[in-house]
């Protein structure tokens, strides 16, 4: 059965590389003649969903690369020396045959394939008269599928507010036949599917409006709606979603004095969707986010791959009492030059003392995908532009100041002083290391400046600055994927 499944995946979605921890995810495809036996109960469905979330912790997805991609390409991270790993994120040295990082594509579609097969199996069970209530499982699956497509369309498609008629990614919402060759939808069509999945998922999950740590619950869905609608510049919709979460009282912002310690805790009061990392299965060890962002040589095999750029440190340095300095520590520049430079980030080691988050290894730190602080920042930006009566600059400043309390040395925002750039700067400081910066800069049409003069690093694949007119702001479809699905041959992204 495993061979049949892998063959199907290869034909439909290109060459996948799986690790042993994915084996238990294998589900018999619906065209194999025995699909109705793959999932028979709600408990079976939850096992599959748990497996999908485990697959999300791969180094090629949320386990490392997606967050590294967003901050390296967004200019908040820089590299001290070339050749240590993931350099192409920073240098934009991508072609269809090299540095494609096709793991984003294959891992994303692997997760989508699992979800689609699960939903198909549940549909068959319901049609056959099953008395089990699969509402929650279906709601979680639809919410996760929306997240996967949102990530894929941001990686391979232009920003929605820049060119929504350009190519996005194939919209695949059901198990495919062996000879299927799905083609790329438009960015607008991808977003339409994302919103549909979120709407359908929310209706199913609304039966249980309680916090379910580690699961894509109702509030995860609403938080994703806030994020997606902000990217679409649907400010009224984004504000409504953000407001629902804030007003629910289910989550609570950390007091400034508690913010640093929150990174050593699992499923804290701000965590809306968090992926559990276990020491036995998903701990990436020396390949983890924590290792890639810590100081060179602090532990064996720590290479100092990436460190904060001068631009980010200057932004955070507007207030030396900002509590977010608490997860920063001296980097390799300090080691070599004995000049203090707090460019190493320890969010994913739990603390600057490498405390982890309560597990046997300090690299098995949970991945926080959506936090309440982001929801407040979404509310601030959306309120500034919303047409809703309760919105406006006063409301926007109020939302922003809840996060700006973490910078006690800075004056609070007011209706007269708040701007998009002030909110964007706060997003950079709060969400550093969480993969948001590049996508924020692109959706807002900003110019990114890179810290190339930090060290003598040759960069020949982009200029010192880029904006969203630069062709390589999206990844190439890898040649392996095109070979597996020739229908994509004439749909390669420009510049590749």
């Amino acid at each position: 059965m495993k061979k049949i499944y892998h063959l199907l995946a290869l034909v439909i979605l290109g060459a996948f590389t799986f690790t042993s921890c994915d084996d238990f995810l294998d589900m018999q495809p619906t065209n194999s003649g025995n699909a109705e036996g793959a999932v028979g109960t709600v408990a079976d469905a939850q096992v599959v969903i748990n497996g999908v979330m485990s697959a999300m912790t791969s180094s090629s997805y949320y386990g490392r690369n997606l967050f590294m991609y967003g901050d390296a390409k967004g200019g908040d991270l820089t590299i001290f020396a070339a050749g240590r790993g993931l350099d192409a994120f920073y240098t934009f040295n991508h072609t269809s045959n090299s540095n494609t990082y096709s793991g984003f594509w294959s891992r994303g579609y692997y997760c989508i394939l699992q979800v689609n097969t699960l939903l198909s199996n549940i549909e068959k069970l319901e049609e056959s008269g099953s008395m089990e209530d699969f509402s929650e499982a279906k709601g979680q699956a639809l919410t996760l599928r929306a997240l996967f497509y949102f990530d894929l369309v941001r990686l391979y498609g232009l920003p929605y507010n820049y060119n929504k008629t350009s190519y996005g990614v194939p919209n695949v919402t059901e198990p495919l036949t062996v000879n299927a060759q799905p083609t790329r939808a438009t960015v607008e069509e991808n977003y339409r599917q994302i919103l549909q999945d979120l709407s359908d998922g929310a209706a199913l999950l609304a039966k249980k409006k309680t916090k379910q740590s580690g699961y894509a619950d109702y509030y995860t869905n609403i938080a994703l709606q806030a994020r997606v609608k902000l990217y679409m510049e649907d400010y009224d919709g984004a504000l409504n979603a953000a407001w629902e979460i804030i007003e629910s009282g289910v989550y609570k912002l950390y007091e400034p004095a508690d913010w640093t310690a929150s990174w050593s805790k699992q499923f804290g009061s701000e965590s809306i969707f968090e992926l559990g990392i276990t020491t036995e299965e998903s701990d990436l060890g020396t390949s983890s986010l924590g290792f890639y962002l810590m100081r060179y040589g602090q532990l064996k095999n720590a290479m100092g791959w990436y460190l904060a750029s001068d631009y980010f440190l200057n932004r955070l340095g507007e207030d030396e009492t900002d509590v977010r300095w608490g997860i920063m520590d001296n980097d390799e520049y300090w080691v070599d030059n004995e000049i203090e430079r707090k460019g190493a980030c320890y969010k994913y080691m739990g603390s600057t003392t490498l405390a982890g988050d309560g597990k046997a290894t300090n690299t098995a730190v949970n991945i926080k995908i959506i936090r309440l602080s982001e929801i407040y920042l979404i509310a601030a930006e959306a309120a500034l532009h919303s047409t809703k009566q309760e919105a406006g600059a006063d409301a926007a400043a109020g939302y922003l100041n809840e996060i700006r309390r973490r910078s006690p040395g800075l004056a609070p925002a007011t209706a007269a002083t708040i701007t998009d750039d002030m909110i964007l700067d706060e997003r950079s400081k709060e969400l550093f290391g969480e993969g948001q910066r590049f996508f924020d800069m692109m959706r807002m049409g900003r110019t990114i400046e890179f810290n190339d003069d930090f060290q003598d690093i040759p960069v020949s694949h982009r200029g010192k600055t880029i904006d969203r007119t630069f062709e390589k702001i999206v990844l190439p479809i890898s040649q392996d994927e095109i070979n597996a699905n020739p229908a994509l041959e004439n749909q390669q992204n420009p510049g590749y």
Side-chain angles (χ1 to χ4, degrees), residues 351-364:
S351 71
T352 57
T353 61
L354 314 183
D357 67 1
K359 307 190 188 84
T361 59
N362 52 21
T363 51

Side-chain angles (χ1 to χ4, degrees), residues 23-296:
D23 291 348
F24 76 100
L25 287 172
D26 289 352
M27 292 168 37
Q28 197 152 344
T30 57
N31 63 346
S32 68
N34 191 32
E36 58 272 18
V39 172
T41 67
V42 170
D44 294 338
Q46 193 60 61
V47 167
V48 175
I49 291 170
N50 291 348
V52 171
M53 291 191 293
S54 179
M56 293 170 66
T57 66
S58 162
S59 63
S60 62
Y61 200 10
Y62 277 101
R64 188 189 66 211
N65 283 5
L66 185 62
F67 284 3
M68 297 295 296
Y69 180 102
D71 279 10
K73 287 187 179 295
D76 275 1
L77 289 175
T78 186
I79 52 179
F80 189 85
R84 293 180 179 177
L86 301 184
D87 292 9
F89 285 169
Y90 184 75
T91 63
F92 289 70
N93 181 17
H94 307 292
T95 73
S96 61
N97 288 299
S98 65
N99 297 324
T100 62
Y101 293 96
S102 60
F104 287 129
W105 181 283
S106 60
R107 181 60 47 162
Y109 275 109
Y110 172 67
C111 292
I112 289 167
L113 180 62
Q114 293 292 330
V115 166
N116 289 346
T117 307
L118 172 62
L119 290 170
S120 177
N121 286 341
I122 290 174
E123 182 180 0
K124 289 177 181 293
L125 287 168
E126 290 176 333
E127 289 174 350
S128 69
S130 172
M131 300 301 291
E132 296 248 5
D133 182 2
F134 288 97
S135 297
E136 188 173 353
K138 289 193 296 184
Q140 289 184 59
L142 289 166
T143 300
L144 289 172
R145 188 169 71 183
L147 175 60
F148 302 147
Y149 272 117
F150 181 62
D151 292 338
L152 285 168
V153 74
R154 289 186 301 158
L155 290 162
Y156 294 97
L158 295 174
Y160 182 91
N161 61 357
Y162 180 49
N163 187 353
K164 63 185 178 182
T165 64
S166 60
Y167 283 129
V169 296
N171 266 342
V172 181
T173 57
E174 58 186 25
L176 298 176
T177 59
V178 174
N179 60 351
Q181 294 187 10
T183 55
R184 298 176 73 180
T186 66
V187 168
E188 184 175 25
E189 288 168 338
N190 286 149
Y191 272 85
R192 190 180 302 136
Q193 181 61 51
I194 291 164
L195 291 178
Q196 186 65 59
D197 279 350
L198 289 172
S199 176
D200 293 345
L204 293 164
L205 293 168
K207 298 178 182 180
K208 188 184 288 187
K209 292 186 180 180
T210 56
K211 181 179 180 180
Q212 300 182 70
S213 296
Y215 293 95
D217 60 14
Y218 175 78
Y219 292 105
T220 298
N221 182 293
I222 301 303
L224 278 173
Q225 289 194 43
R227 187 188 281 181
V228 170
K229 290 176 181 180
L230 186 74
Y231 274 66
M232 299 176 72
E233 296 186 344
D234 174 6
Y235 296 118
D236 290 357
L239 183 58
N240 283 340
W243 183 87
E244 180 177 353
I245 291 174
I246 292 168
E247 292 300 309
S248 73
V250 173
Y251 306 92
K252 182 181 179 181
L253 287 174
Y254 290 111
E255 290 299 317
D258 299 325
W259 186 88
T260 298
S262 73
W263 293 95
S264 63
K265 294 179 172 60
Q266 302 175 44
F267 307 112
S269 68
E270 283 193 23
S271 185
I272 298 175
F273 185 41
E274 180 172 326
L275 291 175
I277 303 296
T278 64
T279 54
E280 299 83 9
E281 187 173 279
S282 46
D283 183 2
L284 296 175
T286 58
S287 296
S288 66
L289 269 170
F291 250 75
Y292 268 66
L293 294 172
M294 72 187 303
R295 181 171 67 245
Y296 176 86

Side-chain angles (χ1 to χ4, degrees), residues 328-362:
M328 306 298 294
D329 204 354
N330 289 324
D331 58 28
E332 186 174 354
Y333 188 80
W334 169 78
V335 173
D336 285 5
N337 297 278
E338 297 184 355
I339 298 173
E340 185 172 80
R341 187 182 188 281
K342 291 188 178 295
C345 175
Y346 288 83
K347 279 185 176 180
Y348 306 104
M349 297 297 282
S351 71
T352 57
T353 61
L354 314 183
D357 67 1
K359 307 190 188 84
T361 59
N362 52 21

Side-chain angles (χ1 to χ4, degrees), residues 301-342:
N301 298 319
M303 296 298 296
W305 287 270
Y306 272 93
L307 58 161
S309 68
D310 288 341
Y311 309 129
F312 170 78
L313 293 177
N314 290 341
R315 198 174 300 124
L316 192 60
E318 292 172 358
D319 178 11
E320 292 301 327
T321 66
D322 193 312
V323 300
R324 289 165 294 202
W325 282 110
I327 51 87
M328 306 298 294
D329 204 354
N330 289 324
D331 58 28
E332 186 174 354
Y333 188 80
W334 169 78
V335 173
D336 285 5
N337 297 278
E338 297 184 355
I339 298 173
E340 185 172 80
R341 187 182 188 281
K342 291 188 178 295

